[in-house]
Amino acid sequence: MSTRRARMIEDRHLRDSARALVEADIEHLKADFTHKSLTERAMDRVMDGASDLYDEAVDMAEDNKGALAALVAAIVVWFARNPILELLGFAPEEQDDDDLVE
């Protein structure tokens, strides 16, 4: 058998196996689309995206613990600013409801 003929037979087998893989993938996709509705597929994508986002946020928080602690402290101080100002003697003047009407 000549080299060209052997190569042609080998190429034909490769082509046939590649075609079988593509056809199997197409059948798998058809089966997947018939089993799941559009909303189910959309929810799966949203859940996968949310899971990936959560994992990335956890990794980022682990890498930046100091910055995360500073952010949490700033939020706590912001919400507690009025009692803290009162303790330091810088309480804002309270307005009476009568002053607002005039």
Side-chain angles (χ1 to χ4, degrees), residues 60-73:
M60 188 71 79
E62 287 176 356
D63 292 343
N64 300 308
K65 289 183 181 180
L68 185 62
L71 178 65
V72 169

Side-chain angles (χ1 to χ4, degrees), residues 12-26:
R12 184 176 293 153
H13 287 297
L14 286 173
R15 181 201 63 196
D16 292 343
S17 61
R19 183 177 183 145
L21 285 174
V22 169
E23 288 174 355
D25 285 345
I26 290 171

Side-chain angles (χ1 to χ4, degrees), residues 79-98:
F79 283 114
R81 69 187 180 278
N82 289 332
I84 292 171
L85 288 173
E86 287 176 9
L87 286 173
L88 296 174
F90 297 109
E93 295 179 18
E94 294 185 26
Q95 295 180 348
D96 292 336
D97 290 338
D98 295 335

Side-chain angles (χ1 to χ4, degrees), residues 30-97:
K30 284 180 182 178
D32 189 36
F33 283 126
T34 58
H35 291 300
K36 289 186 180 181
S37 68
L38 182 62
T39 55
E40 289 175 338
R41 286 194 300 272
M43 287 303 296
D44 286 346
R45 289 190 81 180
V46 167
M47 294 298 287
D48 289 343
S51 176
D52 292 343
L53 184 64
Y54 175 75
D55 292 340
E56 189 173 330
V58 167
D59 291 341
M60 188 71 79
E62 287 176 356
D63 292 343
N64 300 308
K65 289 183 181 180
L68 185 62
L71 178 65
V72 169
I75 291 171
V76 168
V77 168
W78 174 258
F79 283 114
R81 69 187 180 278
N82 289 332
I84 292 171
L85 288 173
E86 287 176 9
L87 286 173
L88 296 174
F90 297 109
E93 295 179 18
E94 294 185 26
Q95 295 180 348
D96 292 336
D97 290 338

